[in-house]
Amino acid sequence: MSKIVLITGASSGFGQSCAQLYAKQGFKLILLSRRLDKLQQIANDLLLGSGDAFSAADVICCEVDVTDAQAIDRFVDGLPEAFSAVDILINNAGLALGTAPAHKANLSDWETMVDTNIKGLIRMTHKLLPGMVARNRGHIVNIGSIAGNWPYPGGNTYCATKAFVHQFSLALRADLLGKAIRVSHIDPGMAETNFSRIRMKGDNDAADAFYHDVKPLSADDVADIIVWTTSVPEHININSLEVMPVCQAWSPFAIDRTMENKQIIND
Ligand code: NDP
Ligand code: 8X3
């Protein structure tokens, strides 16, 4: 019997590429995002491009905003029986908004990131995990970020939401010891998707400049890693994977030598 994979944020980037890869491998897909038309277009393209391995009966598209707790409840409770026993949950929906330092940031941006990246992810998990436990079968893959491991200026709340994803994933694993349920989190670095355009709020030149003259990860690169993580033999749990393009690495700590803090220096 085909396995069922539910992907949040399947209308773009990593989620869309995961949908394409899982379809090719004969999985049944539940695709979620706020844009139903985009999901339906992706599903139609999959039907045209995946050959006999995949048919219209193998995919459902659902307009769900993961910041809306009731919408999640309605959607999971209303899943058709053929799709209700989800085997793999890819908690991918997420975003960064803005790059301003904390004292200049917009509070509603912070709240949207917390509502999506943290609360959306825990709601989906809370809703689907009991079924996985009852069936003693399942895999949850949470998409974090290098931003959750390494702070950077302007990352403030985005970094913190992804640090949550990291620790929540590890703690879930601890709770699930003794069950045949896997939990993994993947922490990608710089990857070229719509992510930066959304972060820069329509300043597409700034978003595109971020990827200029380098070879970042692609959505397909990250999807390959996600799908591989769920395809290793069932006694193996990939706990945590951090992935960067070769063009990216760490820097030394920043040191302020402007002497603007004379008060501290003179104390
Ligand atoms: P994209 O912007 O290309 O895709 C984001 C996806 O999330 C879209 O499908 C969007 O769908 C969905 N989404 C956003 N908000 C909601 C919501 N409230 N409810 C439901 N779906 C939502 O970005 P990526 O593919 O790059 O991002 C995917 C994940 O990877 C995110 O969690 C991001 O933080 C993380 N990440 C990205 C990196 C990068 O450099 N690109 C690096 C590390 C991590 P829609 O708008 O249709 O709702
Ligand atoms: C996205 C990666 O480094 O732009 O999560 O924050 S980064």
Side-chain angles (χ1 to χ4, degrees):
M1 209 169 60
S2 302
K3 282 193 172 176
I4 300 167
V5 59
L6 189 161
I7 304 168
T8 70
S11 61
S12 171
F14 305 161
Q16 177 175 354
S17 288
C18 281
Q20 287 159 346
L21 270 183
Y22 279 117
K24 276 191 196 137
Q25 297 188 7
F27 279 73
K28 287 166 78 162
L29 304 182
I30 306 172
L31 307 181
L32 248 73
S33 87
R34 292 165 301 182
R35 288 174 294 166
L36 186 59
D37 54 338
K38 191 80 203 322
L39 293 175
Q40 283 167 339
Q41 181 61 51
I42 289 166
N44 284 340
D45 292 346
L46 291 177
L47 293 172
L48 292 175
S50 300
D52 292 342
F54 193 74
S55 77
D58 295 324
V59 57
I60 52 177
C61 301
C62 306
E63 179 180 335
V64 177
D65 182 337
V66 298
T67 68
D68 181 343
Q70 289 176 346
I72 291 180
D73 281 348
R74 272 196 308 274
F75 144 75
V76 176
D77 294 341
L79 275 173
E81 196 169 341
F83 284 88
S84 61
V86 173
D87 293 292
I88 301 174
L89 166 62
I90 312 283
N91 270 320
N92 164 72
L95 77 176
L97 290 171
T99 54
H103 52 289
K104 294 185 179 161
N106 183 329
L107 180 59
S108 72
D109 286 348
W110 283 10
E111 288 171 339
T112 301
M113 289 187 275
V114 169
D115 285 345
T116 312
N117 303 357
I118 297 181
K119 292 174 83 176
L121 182 143
I122 62 172
R123 281 187 194 114
M124 289 299 303
T125 304
H126 191 261
K127 194 71 187 163
L128 288 163
L129 187 56
M132 290 183 175
V133 170
R135 295 185 292 279
N136 199 29
R137 195 176 76 233
H139 196 157
I140 297 177
V141 182
N142 293 327
I143 307 305
S145 167
I146 57 166
N149 305 332
W150 313 104
Y152 57 83
N156 42 71
T157 296
Y158 180 67
C159 290
T161 64
K162 293 303 188 178
F164 177 94
V165 173
H166 183 108
Q167 198 63 5
F168 179 65
S169 306
L170 298 182
L172 260 186
R173 261 284 279 140
D175 282 348
L176 290 165
L177 184 68
K179 311 261 183 285
I181 297 174
R182 301 188 281 183
V183 183
S184 307
H185 69 278
I186 315 287
D187 293 333
M190 179 191 218
E192 188 164 8
T193 62
N194 278 328
F195 175 85
S196 287
R197 289 186 167 212
I198 289 182
R199 183 173 214 170
M200 302 301 180
K201 303 176 178 180
D203 184 349
N204 291 345
D205 290 343
D208 295 346
F210 185 61
Y211 304 115
H212 182 64
D213 257 357
V214 292
K215 189 166 173 60
L217 301 172
S218 68
D220 287 350
D221 293 334
V222 176
D224 268 338
I225 291 161
I226 294 170
V227 174
W228 172 76
T229 298
T230 62
S231 69
V232 295
E234 297 205 348
H235 65 288
I236 301 174
N237 191 93
I238 307 291
N239 297 332
S240 169
L241 267 181
E242 186 180 79
V243 188
M244 292 182 191
V246 171
C247 66
Q248 188 175 38
W250 308 270
S251 287
F253 284 116
I255 298 174
D256 174 25
R257 297 187 196 280
T258 61
M259 303 291 278
E260 277 175 10
N261 277 322
K262 288 204 178 79
Q263 202 184 330
I264 295 175
I265 292 166
N266 292 335
D267 273 350

